[in-house]
Amino acid sequence: MSSILNPYLAFEDDAREAMQFYRDIFGGTLTVSTFGEFGHPDGPDADKIMHAQLVTEAGYTLMGADTPRGMTRHPGDNVEVSLSGDDEALRGYFEGLCDGGNVSVPLEKQTWGDEFGMVTDRFGVGWMVNITGPVPSEAAPH
């Protein structure tokens, strides 16, 4: 059995909206469950998201939930999500995440040869996108 590492994002009261936003950007299948569906139908957090999972068309998996009453949340200070590869779709993902967000590093060529950008989306989640540049070919033998 192999292991998988998935980002799990904590939201205040907007997990459903955030996860739908990510689905609109990345595509894929989103499943959402509320606290009310899992044994607390009359509780104060019944409509909050207990667990959401987005399995994207590119094979990424993002998970998220609303923060229930009595638990603390400190947005943006302890995690960023990093997307990297040579797929040009990453450019569109970055542009989508910028909608209503704050770009701290524009997506542009960096000294290491890749295109890289950083954005904090409108939900306070930090994202890093790195698009791998072309691999230099070895010099032909003389």
Side-chain angles (χ1 to χ4, degrees), residues 2 10 19 24 26 32 39 46 48-49 62 68 75 81-82 85 92 98 110 114 118-119:
S2 62
M19 296 300 288
D24 291 346
F26 299 113
V32 177
K48 285 190 172 188
I49 303 305
L62 283 175
V81 180
S82 176
C98 290
Q110 301 296 323
D114 296 348
M118 293 176 68
V119 60

Side-chain angles (χ1 to χ4, degrees), residues 1 11-12 21 23-24 26 46 49 54-55 75 92 104 121:
M1 179 176 185
F11 299 95
E12 191 70 34
F21 175 71
R23 182 195 57 211
D24 291 346
F26 299 113
I49 303 305
L54 173 63
V55 178
S104 55
D121 71 24

Side-chain angles (χ1 to χ4, degrees), residues 116-141:
F116 177 81
M118 293 176 68
V119 60
T120 301
D121 71 24
R122 64 184 178 197
F123 299 101
V125 176
W127 294 82
M128 298 181 289
V129 175
N130 191 88
I131 303 172
T132 307
V135 177
S137 60
E138 294 186 47

Side-chain angles (χ1 to χ4, degrees), residues 14 33 37 40 63 86 106 125 135 140:
D14 53 5
S33 303
E37 293 171 327
H40 303 284
M63 297 179 183
D86 61 3
V125 176
V135 177

Side-chain angles (χ1 to χ4, degrees), residues 41-99:
D42 299 322
D45 293 326
D47 292 334
K48 285 190 172 188
I49 303 305
M50 186 185 95
H51 178 74
Q53 179 172 310
L54 173 63
V55 178
T56 71
E57 293 169 359
Y60 310 134
T61 299
L62 283 175
M63 297 179 183
D66 287 318
T67 304
R69 296 171 209 261
M71 294 182 70
T72 59
R73 174 181 173 263
H74 302 282
D77 66 357
N78 64 345
V79 68
E80 291 196 20
V81 180
S82 176
L83 298 172
S84 56
D86 61 3
D87 189 343
E88 278 297 311
L90 295 173
R91 185 176 319 284
Y93 299 159
F94 185 84
E95 291 169 3
L97 292 164
C98 290
D99 182 20

